[in-house]
Amino acid sequence: MGSITLRNVSKSFGSTVVIPDIDLDIAHNEFVVFVGPSGCGKSTLLRLIAGLEDTSGGTIEIDGQNVTAAAPAKRGLAMVFQSYALYPHMTVYNNIAFPLKMAGQDKGAIDKKVRDAARVLNLTDYLERRPGQLSGGQRQRVAIGRAIVREPKAFLFDEPLSNLDAALRGTMRLEISELHHQLQTTMIYVTHDQVEAMTMADKIVVLNAGNIEQVGSPLELYRKPKNLFVAGFIGSPRMNFVSGAEAQKHGAKTVGIRPEHLVLSTTEGAWKGKVGVAEHLGADTFLHIHVDDIGQVTARADGEFGVNHGDTVYLTPDPAKLHRFGPNDEALA
Amino acid sequence: MARQVTTRRKLGMTAVGWIVALLIFFPILWTVLTSFKTEGTAIATPPQFLFFDWTLENYFEVQSRSNYFRHMMNSIVISVGSTLIGLIIAIPAAWAMAFSPTKRTKDILMWMLSTKMLPAVGVLVPIYLVFRDWGLLDTRTGLVIVLTMVNLPIIVWMLYTYFREIPGEILEAARMDGATLANEIVYVLTPMAIPGIASTLLLNIILAWNEAFWTLNLTASKAAPLTAFIASYSSPEGLFWAKLSAASTLAIAPILIMGWFSQRQLVRGLTFGAVK
């Protein structure tokens, strides 16, 4: 099992309040991603759950047991750090075996578990090496291996892929998702990259300035963002926001429309604009268009959509996909 | 083109490096050479560099006039003893400041360092009187105590800098992995801290070995280390350059050999690539 419940959890460093008051339920076997901009408190929240920071208030329960005051090791959680945090003086084998040694397991059992983990993570050939002799991706796998041998109630990942290059990040993303299916264990994953959040999560927790802005499945957040912040944070490229007269037509302070929900035409449409930079990704082209009276708008076009810098195009927002936000930036029904 | 410039630069830097190294090394080389000269050649003008009658006479003379090995033993006991005691005191202190710093940690470090800003002679009289009353004058114990105190700030500072380089996340990882504080210290921290502790130990032995102010002022004969042994050759009866050089060579030889064999340790870094 591995359900985690936070009730009124708060954290301050001196007079700086990092997390004012958070309630959160994480069910067994869920893959939960904490996402938000730098300094939003997502790593702090993870460290509170891990027990590496003490809470300033509230309670943390794991499987119904209050662990608010328990030491990190007593919570039955395993963590993968951003810097990998491998023990530099130990071989890969000893790194993975370390938590088992600490738990006082016998040599035979340790050996079997380490070799099993190494096989799952393709590390068998590297067991006698030291972390310094491994590539970034291999180090990351060792860190994951050290976590899985403990058979924890939940895995905590603190921005584990941010030190890897883009191609490797994509591969590791798949490996971690695959691992989640194999292990059937709760995973909490912290990232500032909304693509990682969208692709891996069962449930995304969007944090901003220590507050939970919204909790939901990736598609829920994509389709029904609760406020301007979530709307702008989830989705790539970013949602276009339009305020002023155009928004008032829809009875809102601000309206939002995603680049993929704008219909492009070279002949007619609701908004007229001039093409600026076009980003060609192959299948898609992202056009940055300057629309009269509205400003800069990003639109997604088919990869074959042929326009040049300075051409005039017309945009029509899909009315069913228009997001309306009220005076306090909350989404309107 | 760019490549040529780099090669020239490299050559230039190498030449500068050699010149600086030779300049620094020259006094030592001259001392060693002089120790093999007769007193006459030692003060000859123009000075003779390599082509003179090499003689071991000074070394025999020095050994017959004073007991080199007793001084060396004193030096070893005093430098190693004060360094070990210093480490025993400094490791927990530096540890605490590096791993659980408070608002005042920087002030404490500055305060420790500030004791090194006071000229030693400023406290000579009080320390001399205390040593006299406690019967510590001219004893190894006394010198170990005073050198421990004199070098403690440097030991704490060095260890503090080394400990600070141990990434906190590794300790947190150990804590998550179920290591108790004792396990953390034995399996994780100590192996990572040993290179730093070793360099501190070696450097401090060298510092204590070469310390001359306190060792000269607080000893007479029994506990006198090699520094006092050298000083005894710059006597009022006149300067004997060749004998003084022989004594100096004998005094620096052990520490030079130790330094030579441990130079890798002395310059070794701390982490080996666990955290990037």
Side-chain angles (χ1 to χ4, degrees):
Chain A
M1 290 299 284
S3 66
I4 299 170
T5 311
L6 308 187
R7 287 285 168 265
N8 302 107
V9 169
S10 64
K11 177 68 184 173
S12 314
F13 292 104
S15 56
T16 319
V17 180
V18 183
I19 294 172
D21 183 17
I22 275 185
D23 286 304
L24 184 65
D25 292 290
I26 295 167
H28 172 61
N29 195 20
E30 236 177 351
F31 196 121
V32 179
V33 175
F34 294 170
V35 69
S38 312
C40 69
K42 55 192 189 295
S43 279
T44 307
L45 189 59
L46 191 77
R47 292 168 59 82
L48 288 172
I49 296 172
L52 294 171
E53 303 280 355
D54 295 325
T55 55
S56 305
T59 55
I60 299 171
E61 287 179 7
I62 298 174
D63 288 339
Q65 269 194 317
N66 188 342
V67 296
T68 317
K74 304 279 178 226
R75 301 186 181 198
L77 308 174
M79 185 148 165
V80 175
F81 292 86
Q82 181 177 1
S83 66
Y84 321 134
L86 301 177
Y87 309 120
H89 53 287
M90 296 183 197
T91 59
V92 168
Y93 184 98
N94 285 327
N95 262 283
I96 300 177
F98 188 74
L100 302 174
K101 275 185 197 156
M102 291 302 106
Q105 301 199 5
D106 69 84
K107 275 216 166 105
I110 293 178
D111 192 64
K112 188 180 174 307
K113 284 182 188 172
V114 171
R115 292 191 187 281
D116 285 349
R119 201 172 44 248
V120 172
L121 296 163
N122 288 326
L123 287 167
T124 309
D125 295 340
Y126 305 101
L127 282 175
E128 293 315 313
R129 297 214 192 161
R130 281 171 198 245
Q133 301 163 299
L134 300 178
S135 70
Q138 289 165 338
R139 286 181 206 178
Q140 187 61 76
R141 281 206 284 272
V142 177
I144 293 172
R146 191 171 63 181
I148 62 177
V149 286
R150 294 182 52 202
E151 296 162 17
K153 290 177 188 161
F155 289 95
L156 311 178
F157 292 93
D158 188 6
E159 307 216 14
L161 305 185
S162 55
N163 286 352
L164 302 178
D165 64 60
L168 201 52
R169 210 151 49 212
T171 325
M172 288 302 292
R173 217 159 62 199
L174 288 178
E175 283 186 26
I176 293 175
S177 294
E178 187 55 43
L179 204 64
H180 178 236
H181 288 290
Q182 278 179 33
L183 299 173
Q184 299 285 317
T185 310
T186 312
M187 290 188 175
I188 306 177
Y189 188 105
V190 164
T191 180
H192 59 266
D193 181 352
Q194 61 92 23
V195 176
E196 280 177 25
M198 291 296 282
T199 51
M200 301 169 84
D202 294 324
K203 184 153 100 183
I204 297 179
V205 177
V206 183
L207 288 156
N208 183 28
N211 289 305
I212 295 182
E213 295 283 344
Q214 190 171 358
V215 178
S217 73
L219 286 181
E220 267 169 45
L221 299 193
Y222 177 79
R223 288 191 190 125
K224 282 195 163 44
K226 252 166 116 176
N227 54 39
L228 214 57
F229 179 83
V230 177
F233 199 80
I234 298 291
S236 173
R238 213 167 164 264
M239 185 187 280
N240 297 298
F241 293 115
V242 180
S243 48
E246 188 64 33
Q248 273 160 16
K249 274 194 223 161
H250 298 277
K253 183 183 160 230
T254 312
V255 290
I257 183 79
R258 296 194 185 278
E260 53 271 40
H261 299 147
L262 283 164
V263 180
L264 271 162
S265 160
T266 48
T267 51
E268 54 178 0
W271 302 342
K272 182 184 169 200
K274 267 199 166 50
V275 176
V277 175
E279 295 176 289
H280 297 280
L281 301 180
D284 297 321
T285 299
F286 295 124
L287 298 173
H288 300 273
I289 300 162
H290 190 83
V291 178
D292 309 338
D293 304 330
I294 288 177
Q296 200 73 21
V297 169
T298 310
R300 192 184 78 176
D302 190 86
E304 308 299 322
F305 190 78
V307 282
N308 292 313
H309 193 278
D311 285 359
T312 301
V313 288
Y314 294 89
L315 299 168
T316 312
D318 178 348
K321 301 285 172 66
L322 203 66
H323 301 269
R324 302 186 307 129
F325 300 96
N328 51 3
D329 294 342
E330 293 296 310
L332 300 171
Chain B
M1 192 60 203
R3 204 182 160 81
Q4 269 180 355
V5 175
T6 8
T7 317
R8 201 181 302 159
R9 246 185 96 89
K10 273 186 193 163
L11 278 174
M13 289 307 285
T14 313
V16 170
W18 272 97
I19 291 168
V20 171
L22 285 174
L23 273 177
I24 294 170
F25 180 65
F26 185 75
I28 298 173
L29 177 69
W30 194 251
T31 308
V32 174
L33 288 175
T34 308
S35 72
F36 293 104
K37 295 172 182 173
T38 60
E39 289 296 346
T41 18
I43 51 169
T45 32
Q48 297 180 323
F49 188 58
L50 281 174
F51 306 102
F52 54 84
D53 290 328
W54 291 63
T55 170
L56 286 172
E57 168 200 337
N58 298 310
Y59 287 92
F60 293 123
E61 177 85 4
V62 163
Q63 182 53 28
S64 65
R65 245 176 73 174
S66 46
N67 190 343
Y68 169 73
F69 288 101
R70 205 194 57 216
H71 292 299
M72 190 173 86
M73 275 315 292
N74 283 338
S75 272
I76 291 175
V77 169
I78 292 163
S79 57
V80 174
S82 69
T83 302
L84 289 183
I85 296 174
L87 280 175
I88 290 168
I89 301 171
I91 288 174
W95 195 296
M97 287 191 286
F99 295 121
S100 8
T102 67
K103 267 189 289 184
R104 301 257 169 272
T105 300
K106 282 262 171 302
D107 301 339
I108 294 174
L109 280 165
M110 266 325 282
W111 167 69
M112 287 189 190
L113 198 65
S114 72
T115 60
K116 297 298 287 179
M117 297 171 190
L118 180 77
V121 70
V123 287
L124 175 61
V125 174
I127 291 208
Y128 188 88
L129 294 179
V130 169
F131 268 49
R132 188 194 61 192
D133 292 351
W134 291 0
L136 288 171
L137 284 179
D138 203 16
T139 61
R140 286 171 175 180
T141 319
L143 279 185
V144 167
I145 292 172
V146 81
L147 286 190
T148 301
M149 293 194 302
V150 164
N151 288 332
L152 199 53
I154 293 171
I155 308 184
V156 173
W157 264 82
M158 274 190 77
L159 289 176
Y160 171 78
T161 347
Y162 279 119
F163 289 168
R164 276 289 297 267
E165 281 177 36
I166 297 178
E169 280 199 342
I170 290 185
L171 304 185
E172 288 178 346
R175 236 164 279 164
M176 292 294 296
D177 282 344
T180 59
L181 183 62
N183 286 333
E184 209 178 305
I185 291 171
V186 173
Y187 295 112
V188 182
L189 266 171
T190 312
M192 292 182 68
I194 273 182
I197 295 175
S199 334
T200 311
L201 177 115
L202 292 170
L203 193 79
N204 201 68
I205 287 179
I206 295 173
L207 281 179
W209 187 277
N210 293 333
E211 206 288 327
F213 179 79
W214 293 105
T215 46
L216 288 182
N217 282 301
L218 298 177
T219 60
S221 62
K222 276 194 304 194
L226 286 168
T227 44
F229 162 78
I230 303 175
S232 69
Y233 283 88
S234 70
S235 56
E237 58 202 83
L239 277 175
F240 296 99
W241 286 113
K243 287 183 199 62
L244 185 61
S245 299
S248 299
T249 308
L250 284 172
I252 59 173
I255 206 76
L256 212 62
I257 293 165
M258 189 200 86
W260 181 267
F261 282 110
S262 55
Q263 51 182 323
R264 262 172 60 102
Q265 273 298 335
L266 279 171
V267 294
R268 190 169 173 184
L270 242 192
T271 44
F272 322 101
V275 173
K276 218 165 74 171

